[in-house]
Amino acid sequence: MRSLWGSSKVLPASKFLELSRIRPRSYSMQLNLFALSIKARISTSRSISSAYVSIQGLSNSQREQIELYVRSLLDWNQRMNLTAVTDEEAVMERHVEDSLAILAPLRRHYLSRCREEGRDCVEIESERLRIVDIGSGAGLPGLILAIACPSWHITLVESMLKRCSFLEHAIDVTGLSNVRVLRERAEIAGQNPEFRETFDVAVARAVAEMRTLAEYCLPLVRVGGLFLAAKGPDPQEEVESAQKAVKLLGGSIKELCLVDSYGPHGCRTAVICYKERPTLAKYPRQPGIPSKMPL
């Protein structure tokens, strides 16, 4: 079976400049990202594995689970607003494969982080990672990650009752046993000792701008863990403005990794942050404040 994880390639400055001279338009975004990497000490890479390769790497039973999920999503979407995409094929491409695309950078950086901690690679490979999906909505990317990685334990944090009802239904239909739904605001969950700094990785997709998202996610991540934000194709200004907030919350931005997407822009960006020290007790602030007054 083809690996789910794929691989990444880091392009040095000389290569970026060479490519920009040959094809200045198609590489303009990469050059902008590289400029940001110099200023923010972020390495920029592009994944050479596509989301399509990732879904091809799933087993037959996993593909069946995804089909059940997609059908349930479209059925419930007729009664409540879960997604603007209403075609089954489009959901597979725009949501499912887009969620799977973050697996490669997530796993690569988690392995790198664990090696820095001096942990055995065999132990890492078989580890039951604790993942929290903030603002899960329709279960993207959390439910898709749970299907693709059955040894991982996924917590879906969603504050809206109707969406939580759908998530519980989707978990039941797909037969997943490695997922739980937490109906709570991220600000409250982040101050709860049961959840605070207990997760290996926090992920979020289409939730909030980076400064706000960092305050939602980093308090939930253990020291040594990761925060991965799935962003659009051109997030460098947003990421640069979030550096102060990320640092204040105990993290650092390490890489902007371009991943293939079937969206209108053809790619998305996985923003990778490391949790380097405990988050100050006063964060996250009270519900609503992070979005109204970003750090």
Side-chain angles (χ1 to χ4, degrees):
M1 182 191 300
R2 184 186 294 271
S3 170
L4 288 177
W5 310 120
S7 57
S8 298
K9 181 178 180 181
V10 177
L11 298 182
S14 59
K15 186 63 175 177
F16 268 86
L17 293 173
E18 177 187 346
L19 292 174
S20 68
R21 286 192 293 268
I22 298 171
R23 297 177 63 188
R25 290 186 179 181
S26 61
Y27 284 94
S28 61
M29 181 171 63
Q30 286 93 324
L31 284 164
N32 288 336
L33 288 173
F34 184 77
L36 174 62
S37 76
I38 295 297
K39 186 172 182 180
R41 296 183 180 179
I42 302 169
S43 65
T44 305
S45 68
R46 175 163 186 150
S47 171
I48 62 175
S49 63
S50 70
Y52 180 75
V53 171
S54 292
I55 201 168
Q56 287 297 100
L58 299 179
S59 67
N60 289 335
S61 61
Q62 287 171 319
R63 293 185 200 182
E64 289 175 3
Q65 286 177 305
I66 284 182
E67 289 177 4
L68 290 169
Y69 164 76
V70 171
R71 290 170 187 166
S72 296
L73 173 62
L74 292 176
D75 179 41
W76 279 60
N77 199 53
Q78 297 179 40
R79 304 188 296 274
M80 56 187 291
N81 183 26
L82 290 169
T83 175
V85 182
T86 57
D87 175 75
E88 184 171 333
E89 183 177 354
V91 171
M92 291 291 288
E93 292 181 347
R94 297 283 295 274
H95 289 324
V96 174
E97 294 182 349
D98 194 66
S99 295
L100 288 171
I102 69 172
L103 279 171
L106 189 161
R107 186 172 186 274
R108 176 168 59 85
H109 277 273
Y110 188 80
L111 288 172
S112 174
R113 188 65 170 172
C114 288
R115 290 191 185 101
E116 290 178 7
E117 297 173 350
R119 297 171 57 189
D120 186 273
C121 291
V122 175
E123 175 190 345
I124 297 167
E125 292 284 358
S126 61
E127 187 167 277
R128 184 177 174 87
L129 296 187
R130 296 159 297 175
I131 313 291
V132 60
D133 178 16
I134 297 297
S136 188
L140 301 161
L143 269 174
I144 305 303
L145 298 183
I147 291 171
C149 306
S151 66
W152 293 3
H153 183 82
I154 314 289
T155 298
L156 310 177
V157 176
E158 172 56 51
S159 62
M160 294 185 62
L161 177 59
K162 289 184 178 180
R163 291 178 181 173
C164 288
S165 297
F166 166 74
L167 293 174
E168 294 286 5
H169 171 77
I171 291 168
D172 183 60
V173 166
T174 55
L176 291 169
S177 60
N178 60 331
V179 189
R180 64 176 173 176
V181 178
L182 176 62
R183 184 193 167 202
E184 190 59 271
R185 291 189 62 111
E187 301 99 319
I188 300 298
Q191 289 291 357
N192 187 330
E194 183 180 352
F195 306 112
R196 185 178 179 87
E197 297 191 329
T198 63
F199 294 96
D200 299 302
V201 181
V203 297
R205 178 180 181 266
V207 175
E209 69 138 306
M210 195 68 192
R211 290 179 298 169
T212 301
L213 202 55
E215 189 167 357
Y216 290 162
C217 294
L218 280 169
L220 291 163
V221 178
R222 68 171 179 83
V223 174
L226 301 181
F227 158 40
L228 187 154
K231 288 293 181 179
D234 191 26
Q236 52 262 50
E237 183 176 344
E238 178 184 342
V239 171
E240 186 173 1
S241 68
Q243 288 185 71
K244 178 182 177 182
V246 171
K247 184 176 181 180
L248 183 63
L249 294 160
S252 64
I253 301 171
K254 290 300 182 183
E255 184 173 311
L256 276 65
C257 181
L258 299 182
V259 295
D260 291 328
S261 170
Y262 285 85
H265 300 287
C267 69
R268 288 174 62 84
T269 309
V271 182
I272 309 291
C273 302
Y274 286 177
K275 180 70 173 283
E276 298 183 332
R277 61 189 182 281
T279 301
L280 295 174
K282 63 181 178 179
Y283 301 115
R285 292 167 292 173
Q286 290 296 312
I289 294 180
S291 60
K292 292 178 182 177
M293 301 175 60
L295 294 172

